[in-house]
Amino acid sequence: MQMKGFHAEAGQYIFVQVPEISWFEWHPFTLTSSPEENYFSLHIRIVGDWTVSLAKRLGVGSGQFQPSQNMPTIHVDGPFGTPSEDIFRFRTGVCIGAGIGVTPFASILKSI
């Protein structure tokens, strides 16, 4: 996604809300794009009612191209910081993660 005036550091996260799915639910997702890219991206694991509904609404798995005018409105809040955003302040960094915990490192690896 592209958003005017949006700037994030490696490892930060945002909250996402899709009114068509729920007016009240905001879900946190780690940004997987790097600060050097002119867009931001998320990796979303399809587990649970909200992410299943989102995937269905976006046409995931349908094999059909979804024109932008058919996409739902997506509200974004953030970005918000995490300890991993300071990794480039040091000469040496060690990243340890497993499962969903590896997501912040996608943007860090893209920035190296």
Side-chain angles (χ1 to χ4, degrees):
M1 290 188 273
Q2 292 181 328
M3 197 163 120
K4 186 177 181 178
F6 184 89
H7 177 74
E9 298 297 326
Q12 289 188 316
Y13 67 97
I14 61 173
F15 283 96
V16 174
Q17 187 249 6
V18 182
E20 286 184 35
I21 297 172
S22 172
W23 279 99
F24 303 107
E25 292 183 54
W26 288 80
H27 291 261
F29 293 100
T30 302
L31 296 166
T32 55
S33 50
S34 72
E36 296 80 20
E37 295 173 312
N38 65 349
Y39 61 88
F40 69 92
S41 61
L42 313 168
H43 283 77
I44 299 174
R45 185 173 169 207
I46 303 171
V47 170
D49 296 341
W50 193 87
T51 54
V52 167
S53 296
L54 178 62
K56 187 175 180 179
R57 179 59 185 88
L58 295 175
V60 172
S62 68
Q64 300 291 321
F65 175 75
Q66 185 85 341
S68 60
Q69 64 267 21
N70 294 343
M71 299 292 271
T73 298
I74 298 173
H75 296 171
V76 174
D77 188 19
F80 300 101
T82 64
S84 62
E85 72 183 74
D86 293 331
I87 193 162
F88 296 114
R89 294 184 182 182
F90 303 97
R91 184 175 166 175
T92 304
V94 177
C95 299
I96 301 170
I100 198 65
V102 302
T103 311
F105 304 124
S107 61
I108 291 170
L109 293 173
K110 286 182 179 182
S111 292
I112 292 178

